[in-house]
Amino acid sequence: MAAADLAQIADVDIDPDGVFKYVLIRVHTAPPSEAPAGKSKEIVRGYKWAEYHADIYDKVSSEMQKKGYSCECLGGGRISHQSQDKKIHVYGYSMDRPRPGPEGPRARTAHLGGQLTLGAQGGLATSGSSGPPP
């Protein structure tokens, strides 16, 4: 796999509306211990159907493995997405996954346009509330 192949993987795939869990995943062109610098990318996946963060990670990593990639979970939390109002609020953290820093979700979801806020709960951000916006 070439680094150019990573460009074919969407940076963000989240449900258009609602409050749901998300995970921040690093996708590698080779196992992490063998991947040369620059041969990986971070992606965000979030879906209402997921009861647990692990449900999302397991599904995405399985799909990526079938395409020859390897994955590692960098963390997770919750997203409140209001696509009509162009608002995304990222907050919280996963009890069974690492806590991602604010740069991952911010960088990956910012291109969706509109207002992005990050909640302080779980060390994710510097502004906003710890829960979904009112």
Side-chain angles (χ1 to χ4, degrees):
M1 299 271 150
D5 293 337
L6 289 171
Q8 302 301 314
I9 301 171
D11 289 344
V12 178
D13 183 25
I14 61 175
D15 282 341
D17 288 293
V19 175
F20 45 87
K21 292 175 173 65
Y22 83 90
V23 290
L24 178 63
I25 301 169
R26 182 171 293 140
V27 180
H28 300 273
T29 57
S33 60
E34 300 172 19
K39 301 285 184 176
S40 65
K41 81 180 277 185
E42 294 176 4
I43 62 172
V44 172
R45 297 294 184 264
Y47 309 109
K48 287 187 269 190
W49 57 258
E51 185 174 353
Y52 299 103
H53 293 89
D55 296 337
I56 299 170
Y57 179 76
D58 291 346
K59 180 181 185 301
V60 173
S61 64
S62 175
E63 291 169 356
M64 292 296 149
Q65 286 175 353
K66 290 175 186 173
K67 297 177 181 179
Y69 299 105
S70 64
C71 297
E72 64 180 307
C73 184
L74 301 179
R78 291 186 178 269
I79 291 178
S80 172
H81 189 196
Q82 301 168 23
S83 60
Q84 288 282 63
D85 297 329
K86 296 190 175 191
K87 291 183 180 181
I88 298 175
H89 183 68
V90 179
Y91 66 99
Y93 57 89
S94 166
M95 297 302 285
D96 63 341
R97 298 289 173 193
R99 297 180 185 182
E103 282 69 34
R106 179 183 297 140
R108 296 294 156 226
T109 58
H111 82 281
L112 296 174
Q115 178 185 355
L116 172 67
T117 59
L118 301 171
Q121 181 180 4
L124 278 177
T126 57
S127 66
S129 67
S130 62

